[in-house]
Amino acid sequence: MYRYDQYDQTIVDERVAQYRDQTQRYLAGTISEEEFLPLRLQNGLYVQRLAPMLRIAVPYGLLSSQQIRKLAHISRKYDKGYVHFTTRQNIQLNWPQLEEVPDILAELASVEMHAIQTSGNCIRNTTTDQYAGVAADEIEDPRPWCEIIRQWSTLHPEFAFLPRKFKIAVCGSEEDRAAFLLHDIGIQLVTNDQGESGFHIFVGGGLGRTPVIASSIREFLPREHLLTYLDAILRVYNRYGNRDNKYKARIKILVRAWTAEVFAERVESEWAHLKDGPATLTGDEIERMKSFFTMPDYKTVDAQALDSELQQTAGQNKAFARWLERNTRTQKQAGYRSVSLSLKPAGVAPGDVTDQQLETIADLADRFSFGELRSTHNQNVVLTDVLVCELFELWELARAAGLATPNIGTINDMICCPGGDYCSLANAKSIPVAEAIQRKFDDLDYVYDLGDLELNISGCMNACGHHHIGHIGILGVDKKGEEWYQIQIGGSASKDAALAKVLGPSLSREAVTDSIEKLLDVYVENRLEGETFLAAYKRIGIDKFKERVYAPTA
Amino acid sequence: MPQLLKDGKVIDNPWQIIEANDEADQEALPSGDILVPLSMWLNNQSVLENHSGAVGLWINGDEEIEGIAQSIVTAPVIAINFPKFVDGRGFSVARLLRDRYGFKGELRAVGQIIRDQLFFLKRCGFNAFEFDSEIDLDEGAQSLADFSDAYQVAADQPEPLFKRR
Ligand code: SF4
C-alpha cells in the first residue's frame, strides 16, 4: 500500500496544527459558527442529532493492521468503543468531543491517516473496487490512480469551496464494484486499439434527490493527462455549477442543463489550455505510484490439492461450507482467496464494529492477509490473499469474534445509513428496519435460496444508504410527522446501472418487513432456473410485485 | 486609514472601492486611488484617464473574464469580490488571470473572505487581502503559511510536488 514520505507526513501534520488552531479560535469565540462550519466539515466533523460525528478518510478503502489498531485505540479513548464503516469506504466515530478532535487527528496522523475533505463542498475520498489487485476480472489495478487522485485533490487550493460535494470513483475491472457511474466523476480504466492504457471519463452521476447515471464525456484519455483533465472538469464545475440552490448544485444538474455534449465541449476547451502543462503526469511518477501496490510474496502452492482438501473440509462442516460459499471469493492468484468479514450480524447496526473486533481484524490481517485489509462500500471488511489451506482456521477465529455471519451478498447484507437514530436530516429510522428484516429472514436455507440480493436503506432523500440502486430499496419519508417508508425495486449499481422504481404508496414500519416478504414470494414463484431477483424483475416487470404488496387483505 | 494585508505585510490601504451602481461621473469620483467596477473600466476609459489618483478595477468571481481579460490585465490592481466566503468562483478566476492571462499587478481578494482561506487564496495568485470584517491582520497573516508545501501546481508553484520529491 502507499506509504507516506516526509512530504505527505508534513502536510498531514500541518493540517492537524491548522485545525487545532481553528478549534481553539472557535472555542475562544473568534471564529463564528458560520465560518467554522465549512472548516470543521472539511476535517470530517459533523454535528449530528446527538453528538458530533467524525468521518475518517480511508483512501480507496485500503487499511493496514497498524491503522486498524490505532482506530480501536481511538474508539476506546475518545469514543464509546466502536466505529462505523460507511458506504463510501470511510470510518466514522459517532461520539467524539469537539474539543478532542485535534488530538484524534494527531493520533491518526501518526499512522498516516487523516480526515481531510471527508465532508463539505469539496473533493471527497476517491473510492474503488474492494478487490483491487486480486480480482480475476481486473484490467488494471486502480489503486495507483486513486492515490494520484488523492494527492491531487488533497488541499487543492482552487477547489476547496465548490458548489457542492464532489465524489470520484475509479473502476479497473470488467464487473463494476465501485458504482462508478453513480459518482460526480466516474473513471474507467481502458485500453485503446493501440494497446495503450487510459481512461474512459464519465460525469454527472449521483444519488440523492435526483439520482442520475453518469454520462460519457471522453472515451479515451491518455493516462498522462489525468490530472490536467480533472482540473478542467473541476474548473468548469466550480465556475458554472449552481450556487443558489443546494438541491441543484451537484455537477449532475449542470451536465443535464447543458447536455453532456456541451459540457464535454466546455471541458475540452478549458483543457486545451491545461493539456501538456506542468501537471501532466510523468512516466516516473506513474511508476513510482505503481511501485507501492506490488503483489505480496505469494507462495507457490499446489492449488488443486489445496482446493480438494478445502472441499473435503467443507463437506464435513455445513456451517463452514456456507461461509465459504457466501463470504469468500477466488482471486486471480491460484491457491488464494479473499474473505469478507461480515459487519452485519442481526442485532447490530450494519457496519458497526467494536474496538475488540477491530483488534481481532488487525490480528487476522497480520496472520492471514499480509497485514492489509479493505473496507467495502457494502460496509464490510475484506481480507485478501488468504491461503486456501488457512481458511478454516481464519473462519474459526472470525466466528469467535462475531465476524463470520455467512450473509455476504444476501438480503441480510443490507446497506443501511445511520438514519434517524443518529442523523439530524433523517425522516425516519433505518437501523431498526434493517434489524427487523434480519430477524425476519433468519432461516439461512431460505436466504441462500434467494441468492444474490441487494437491499439498501436510506433514512431520507439524501440517499446515503443508496436506496435507488438496491435491487430492493427502502426510503424513509415523513408523512405528517410520522415515519413511513417507500419501497423501490429494480435498482442496480453494476455496469448496467439502473435506478429503482417506486412500488407504490409508502408504508408504516410494521408493514415493511411483510411487504418485503411478499416481494420475495413473487420472485420465488416466478423465477426461472438460476434467475436472480433483479433478472426476474426485469423480465416480469413491476406490476406483479405491486399487486401482491398492495392487495387488499381479506 | 484602513489597512490590508499585502505580500505578507500589514500596510495602509489608500484604495477606495467604487460601487457598481455609481455613474462614471468624474465629479462624483472621490479623489485618490480608486477601484472601479468592470463596466466603468471598460466603458469610461477617457474619464478614468483624467482621474487624479491611480485607477484599478474590481470584478465578481462569476465574471466571464475570457472576453475581457486583455483589456484588464494592464490595470495596476485587480480586486476579485467574494460575495460569500463559501463562494469559490473567485479562486478559479484568480488562477485564470495569473496563469492564463499573465496578470502581473496586485491581485486583491475583497469581500467576505476569511483568514482560514488565506493559504488557498495565496496559492491561486492573490497577493493582497482586504477583509470586510474586523480582524487582527498581524495574527491573520500567520494563516498564509499554514502549510509549507503542497501537492498541486498553482500560481505560487509552477511544478507539482511529484516532480520535486
Ligand atoms: S440518507 Fe438521510 S438519514 Fe440517512 S444518513 Fe443520509 S442524510 Fe442521514
Side-chain angles (χ1 to χ4, degrees), chain A residues 81-101:
Chain A
Y82 69 95
V83 304
H84 175 76
F85 282 77
T86 78
T87 54
R88 294 204 78 254
Q89 301 184 296
N90 289 325
I91 288 177
Q92 275 169 205
L93 295 174
N94 280 329
W95 311 91
Q97 298 298 314
L98 187 139
E99 298 77 5
E100 290 186 335
V101 169

PDB file of all heavy atoms in Angstrom, chain A residues 81-101:
ATOM      1  N   GLY A  81     -16.104   3.063  22.174  1.00  0.00           N
ATOM      2  CA  GLY A  81     -15.612   1.709  21.951  1.00  0.00           C
ATOM      3  C   GLY A  81     -16.180   1.016  20.723  1.00  0.00           C
ATOM      4  O   GLY A  81     -16.162  -0.202  20.637  1.00  0.00           O
ATOM      5  N   TYR A  82     -16.682   1.805  19.781  1.00  0.00           N
ATOM      6  CA  TYR A  82     -16.999   1.188  18.488  1.00  0.00           C
ATOM      7  C   TYR A  82     -16.876   2.224  17.378  1.00  0.00           C
ATOM      8  O   TYR A  82     -16.879   3.432  17.642  1.00  0.00           O
ATOM      9  CB  TYR A  82     -18.377   0.514  18.476  1.00  0.00           C
ATOM     10  CG  TYR A  82     -19.556   1.436  18.541  1.00  0.00           C
ATOM     11  CD1 TYR A  82     -20.197   1.864  17.380  1.00  0.00           C
ATOM     12  CD2 TYR A  82     -20.043   1.895  19.757  1.00  0.00           C
ATOM     13  CE1 TYR A  82     -21.291   2.716  17.432  1.00  0.00           C
ATOM     14  CE2 TYR A  82     -21.145   2.744  19.817  1.00  0.00           C
ATOM     15  CZ  TYR A  82     -21.759   3.155  18.648  1.00  0.00           C
ATOM     16  OH  TYR A  82     -22.836   3.996  18.696  1.00  0.00           O
ATOM     17  N   VAL A  83     -16.747   1.750  16.152  1.00  0.00           N
ATOM     18  CA  VAL A  83     -16.704   2.645  14.991  1.00  0.00           C
ATOM     19  C   VAL A  83     -17.699   2.123  13.951  1.00  0.00           C
ATOM     20  O   VAL A  83     -18.192   1.002  14.062  1.00  0.00           O
ATOM     21  CB  VAL A  83     -15.294   2.732  14.350  1.00  0.00           C
ATOM     22  CG1 VAL A  83     -14.260   3.148  15.378  1.00  0.00           C
ATOM     23  CG2 VAL A  83     -14.897   1.433  13.669  1.00  0.00           C
ATOM     24  N   HIS A  84     -17.935   2.950  12.950  1.00  0.00           N
ATOM     25  CA  HIS A  84     -18.916   2.602  11.926  1.00  0.00           C
ATOM     26  C   HIS A  84     -18.272   2.692  10.538  1.00  0.00           C
ATOM     27  O   HIS A  84     -17.647   3.692  10.209  1.00  0.00           O
ATOM     28  CB  HIS A  84     -20.095   3.581  12.023  1.00  0.00           C
ATOM     29  CG  HIS A  84     -21.127   3.410  10.962  1.00  0.00           C
ATOM     30  ND1 HIS A  84     -22.036   2.384  10.982  1.00  0.00           N
ATOM     31  CD2 HIS A  84     -21.375   4.124   9.842  1.00  0.00           C
ATOM     32  CE1 HIS A  84     -22.812   2.476   9.903  1.00  0.00           C
ATOM     33  NE2 HIS A  84     -22.428   3.522   9.197  1.00  0.00           N
ATOM     34  N   PHE A  85     -18.406   1.631   9.757  1.00  0.00           N
ATOM     35  CA  PHE A  85     -17.914   1.660   8.373  1.00  0.00           C
ATOM     36  C   PHE A  85     -19.006   2.218   7.466  1.00  0.00           C
ATOM     37  O   PHE A  85     -20.147   1.748   7.507  1.00  0.00           O
ATOM     38  CB  PHE A  85     -17.528   0.246   7.910  1.00  0.00           C
ATOM     39  CG  PHE A  85     -16.199  -0.208   8.439  1.00  0.00           C
ATOM     40  CD1 PHE A  85     -16.067  -0.644   9.747  1.00  0.00           C
ATOM     41  CD2 PHE A  85     -15.053  -0.181   7.636  1.00  0.00           C
ATOM     42  CE1 PHE A  85     -14.836  -1.046  10.260  1.00  0.00           C
ATOM     43  CE2 PHE A  85     -13.819  -0.587   8.135  1.00  0.00           C
ATOM     44  CZ  PHE A  85     -13.709  -1.018   9.443  1.00  0.00           C
ATOM     45  N   THR A  86     -18.655   3.218   6.649  1.00  0.00           N
ATOM     46  CA  THR A  86     -19.664   3.891   5.825  1.00  0.00           C
ATOM     47  C   THR A  86     -19.745   3.290   4.427  1.00  0.00           C
ATOM     48  O   THR A  86     -18.903   2.485   4.031  1.00  0.00           O
ATOM     49  CB  THR A  86     -19.349   5.389   5.652  1.00  0.00           C
ATOM     50  OG1 THR A  86     -18.305   5.521   4.672  1.00  0.00           O
ATOM     51  CG2 THR A  86     -18.903   6.027   6.950  1.00  0.00           C
ATOM     52  N   THR A  87     -20.740   3.751   3.672  1.00  0.00           N
ATOM     53  CA  THR A  87     -20.913   3.263   2.305  1.00  0.00           C
ATOM     54  C   THR A  87     -19.900   3.865   1.340  1.00  0.00           C
ATOM     55  O   THR A  87     -19.907   3.537   0.172  1.00  0.00           O
ATOM     56  CB  THR A  87     -22.320   3.602   1.787  1.00  0.00           C
ATOM     57  OG1 THR A  87     -22.511   5.010   1.938  1.00  0.00           O
ATOM     58  CG2 THR A  87     -23.366   2.866   2.572  1.00  0.00           C
ATOM     59  N   ARG A  88     -19.059   4.783   1.823  1.00  0.00           N
ATOM     60  CA  ARG A  88     -18.006   5.279   0.940  1.00  0.00           C
ATOM     61  C   ARG A  88     -16.642   4.835   1.443  1.00  0.00           C
ATOM     62  O   ARG A  88     -15.643   5.531   1.294  1.00  0.00           O
ATOM     63  CB  ARG A  88     -18.081   6.793   0.746  1.00  0.00           C
ATOM     64  CG  ARG A  88     -19.366   7.157  -0.011  1.00  0.00           C
ATOM     65  CD  ARG A  88     -19.274   8.464  -0.730  1.00  0.00           C
ATOM     66  NE  ARG A  88     -18.521   8.358  -1.962  1.00  0.00           N
ATOM     67  CZ  ARG A  88     -17.287   8.827  -2.132  1.00  0.00           C
ATOM     68  NH1 ARG A  88     -16.663   9.409  -1.150  1.00  0.00           N
ATOM     69  NH2 ARG A  88     -16.688   8.701  -3.269  1.00  0.00           N
ATOM     70  N   GLN A  89     -16.608   3.692   2.058  1.00  0.00           N
ATOM     71  CA  GLN A  89     -15.369   3.036   2.478  1.00  0.00           C
ATOM     72  C   GLN A  89     -14.650   3.783   3.600  1.00  0.00           C
ATOM     73  O   GLN A  89     -13.524   3.460   3.937  1.00  0.00           O
ATOM     74  CB  GLN A  89     -14.420   2.811   1.289  1.00  0.00           C
ATOM     75  CG  GLN A  89     -15.040   1.948   0.185  1.00  0.00           C
ATOM     76  CD  GLN A  89     -14.079   1.639  -0.949  1.00  0.00           C
ATOM     77  OE1 GLN A  89     -13.640   2.539  -1.639  1.00  0.00           O
ATOM     78  NE2 GLN A  89     -13.764   0.374  -1.153  1.00  0.00           N
ATOM     79  N   ASN A  90     -15.292   4.807   4.157  1.00  0.00           N
ATOM     80  CA  ASN A  90     -14.672   5.536   5.262  1.00  0.00           C
ATOM     81  C   ASN A  90     -15.107   4.964   6.603  1.00  0.00           C
ATOM     82  O   ASN A  90     -15.931   4.050   6.669  1.00  0.00           O
ATOM     83  CB  ASN A  90     -15.064   7.017   5.184  1.00  0.00           C
ATOM     84  CG  ASN A  90     -14.390   7.716   4.024  1.00  0.00           C
ATOM     85  OD1 ASN A  90     -13.256   7.406   3.679  1.00  0.00           O
ATOM     86  ND2 ASN A  90     -15.083   8.663   3.414  1.00  0.00           N
ATOM     87  N   ILE A  91     -14.571   5.573   7.668  1.00  0.00           N
ATOM     88  CA  ILE A  91     -14.892   5.108   9.021  1.00  0.00           C
ATOM     89  C   ILE A  91     -15.367   6.290   9.852  1.00  0.00           C
ATOM     90  O   ILE A  91     -14.781   7.375   9.782  1.00  0.00           O
ATOM     91  CB  ILE A  91     -13.645   4.455   9.651  1.00  0.00           C
ATOM     92  CG1 ILE A  91     -13.394   3.111   8.966  1.00  0.00           C
ATOM     93  CG2 ILE A  91     -13.825   4.270  11.158  1.00  0.00           C
ATOM     94  CD1 ILE A  91     -12.175   2.395   9.428  1.00  0.00           C
ATOM     95  N   GLN A  92     -16.428   6.085  10.615  1.00  0.00           N
ATOM     96  CA  GLN A  92     -16.974   7.167  11.416  1.00  0.00           C
ATOM     97  C   GLN A  92     -16.925   6.868  12.901  1.00  0.00           C
ATOM     98  O   GLN A  92     -17.154   5.741  13.322  1.00  0.00           O
ATOM     99  CB  GLN A  92     -18.437   7.405  11.036  1.00  0.00           C
ATOM    100  CG  GLN A  92     -18.577   8.327   9.856  1.00  0.00           C
ATOM    101  CD  GLN A  92     -19.965   8.390   9.272  1.00  0.00           C
ATOM    102  OE1 GLN A  92     -20.093   8.703   8.103  1.00  0.00           O
ATOM    103  NE2 GLN A  92     -20.976   8.114  10.054  1.00  0.00           N
ATOM    104  N   LEU A  93     -16.653   7.936  13.654  1.00  0.00           N
ATOM    105  CA  LEU A  93     -16.806   7.881  15.096  1.00  0.00           C
ATOM    106  C   LEU A  93     -18.103   8.619  15.409  1.00  0.00           C
ATOM    107  O   LEU A  93     -18.312   9.730  14.930  1.00  0.00           O
ATOM    108  CB  LEU A  93     -15.642   8.597  15.789  1.00  0.00           C
ATOM    109  CG  LEU A  93     -14.255   7.986  15.620  1.00  0.00           C
ATOM    110  CD1 LEU A  93     -13.210   8.902  16.252  1.00  0.00           C
ATOM    111  CD2 LEU A  93     -14.198   6.610  16.253  1.00  0.00           C
ATOM    112  N   ASN A  94     -18.940   8.022  16.218  1.00  0.00           N
ATOM    113  CA  ASN A  94     -20.253   8.630  16.463  1.00  0.00           C
ATOM    114  C   ASN A  94     -20.328   9.548  17.667  1.00  0.00           C
ATOM    115  O   ASN A  94     -21.275  10.300  17.816  1.00  0.00           O
ATOM    116  CB  ASN A  94     -21.316   7.550  16.598  1.00  0.00           C
ATOM    117  CG  ASN A  94     -21.756   7.032  15.244  1.00  0.00           C
ATOM    118  OD1 ASN A  94     -21.750   7.771  14.264  1.00  0.00           O
ATOM    119  ND2 ASN A  94     -22.103   5.775  15.171  1.00  0.00           N
ATOM    120  N   TRP A  95     -19.335   9.489  18.561  1.00  0.00           N
ATOM    121  CA  TRP A  95     -19.456  10.263  19.787  1.00  0.00           C
ATOM    122  C   TRP A  95     -18.180  10.985  20.192  1.00  0.00           C
ATOM    123  O   TRP A  95     -17.839  11.000  21.380  1.00  0.00           O
ATOM    124  CB  TRP A  95     -19.874   9.349  20.944  1.00  0.00           C
ATOM    125  CG  TRP A  95     -21.024   8.471  20.639  1.00  0.00           C
ATOM    126  CD1 TRP A  95     -20.970   7.209  20.131  1.00  0.00           C
ATOM    127  CD2 TRP A  95     -22.415   8.776  20.808  1.00  0.00           C
ATOM    128  NE1 TRP A  95     -22.236   6.707  19.971  1.00  0.00           N
ATOM    129  CE2 TRP A  95     -23.148   7.644  20.387  1.00  0.00           C
ATOM    130  CE3 TRP A  95     -23.100   9.896  21.287  1.00  0.00           C
ATOM    131  CZ2 TRP A  95     -24.533   7.597  20.415  1.00  0.00           C
ATOM    132  CZ3 TRP A  95     -24.482   9.839  21.327  1.00  0.00           C
ATOM    133  CH2 TRP A  95     -25.184   8.705  20.886  1.00  0.00           C
ATOM    134  N   PRO A  96     -17.446  11.582  19.292  1.00  0.00           N
ATOM    135  CA  PRO A  96     -16.240  12.284  19.744  1.00  0.00           C
ATOM    136  C   PRO A  96     -16.602  13.643  20.345  1.00  0.00           C
ATOM    137  O   PRO A  96     -17.680  14.166  20.073  1.00  0.00           O
ATOM    138  CB  PRO A  96     -15.455  12.480  18.448  1.00  0.00           C
ATOM    139  CG  PRO A  96     -16.510  12.608  17.413  1.00  0.00           C
ATOM    140  CD  PRO A  96     -17.657  11.731  17.847  1.00  0.00           C
ATOM    141  N   GLN A  97     -15.730  14.186  21.160  1.00  0.00           N
ATOM    142  CA  GLN A  97     -15.920  15.533  21.685  1.00  0.00           C
ATOM    143  C   GLN A  97     -15.253  16.516  20.747  1.00  0.00           C
ATOM    144  O   GLN A  97     -14.107  16.310  20.347  1.00  0.00           O
ATOM    145  CB  GLN A  97     -15.258  15.666  23.067  1.00  0.00           C
ATOM    146  CG  GLN A  97     -15.844  14.758  24.120  1.00  0.00           C
ATOM    147  CD  GLN A  97     -17.298  15.058  24.369  1.00  0.00           C
ATOM    148  OE1 GLN A  97     -17.678  16.208  24.516  1.00  0.00           O
ATOM    149  NE2 GLN A  97     -18.132  14.023  24.380  1.00  0.00           N
ATOM    150  N   LEU A  98     -15.946  17.593  20.443  1.00  0.00           N
ATOM    151  CA  LEU A  98     -15.396  18.597  19.535  1.00  0.00           C
ATOM    152  C   LEU A  98     -14.003  19.051  19.984  1.00  0.00           C
ATOM    153  O   LEU A  98     -13.089  19.205  19.173  1.00  0.00           O
ATOM    154  CB  LEU A  98     -16.366  19.777  19.475  1.00  0.00           C
ATOM    155  CG  LEU A  98     -16.062  20.863  18.468  1.00  0.00           C
ATOM    156  CD1 LEU A  98     -17.346  21.319  17.803  1.00  0.00           C
ATOM    157  CD2 LEU A  98     -15.369  22.053  19.095  1.00  0.00           C
ATOM    158  N   GLU A  99     -13.835  19.231  21.284  1.00  0.00           N
ATOM    159  CA  GLU A  99     -12.560  19.726  21.824  1.00  0.00           C
ATOM    160  C   GLU A  99     -11.438  18.723  21.602  1.00  0.00           C
ATOM    161  O   GLU A  99     -10.268  19.091  21.569  1.00  0.00           O
ATOM    162  CB  GLU A  99     -12.669  19.982  23.339  1.00  0.00           C
ATOM    163  CG  GLU A  99     -13.675  21.039  23.751  1.00  0.00           C
ATOM    164  CD  GLU A  99     -15.127  20.545  23.710  1.00  0.00           C
ATOM    165  OE1 GLU A  99     -15.367  19.340  23.448  1.00  0.00           O
ATOM    166  OE2 GLU A  99     -16.030  21.372  23.913  1.00  0.00           O
ATOM    167  N   GLU A 100     -11.791  17.449  21.507  1.00  0.00           N
ATOM    168  CA  GLU A 100     -10.746  16.421  21.414  1.00  0.00           C
ATOM    169  C   GLU A 100     -10.403  16.043  19.980  1.00  0.00           C
ATOM    170  O   GLU A 100      -9.475  15.257  19.751  1.00  0.00           O
ATOM    171  CB  GLU A 100     -11.189  15.168  22.178  1.00  0.00           C
ATOM    172  CG  GLU A 100     -11.214  15.398  23.672  1.00  0.00           C
ATOM    173  CD  GLU A 100     -11.514  14.127  24.471  1.00  0.00           C
ATOM    174  OE1 GLU A 100     -12.149  13.201  23.932  1.00  0.00           O
ATOM    175  OE2 GLU A 100     -11.097  14.090  25.630  1.00  0.00           O
ATOM    176  N   VAL A 101     -11.158  16.586  19.029  1.00  0.00           N
ATOM    177  CA  VAL A 101     -10.925  16.187  17.641  1.00  0.00           C
ATOM    178  C   VAL A 101      -9.479  16.461  17.187  1.00  0.00           C
ATOM    179  O   VAL A 101      -8.870  15.612  16.540  1.00  0.00           O
ATOM    180  CB  VAL A 101     -11.967  16.828  16.695  1.00  0.00           C
ATOM    181  CG1 VAL A 101     -11.583  16.632  15.242  1.00  0.00           C
ATOM    182  CG2 VAL A 101     -13.340  16.224  16.965  1.00  0.00           C
TER     183      VAL A 101
END
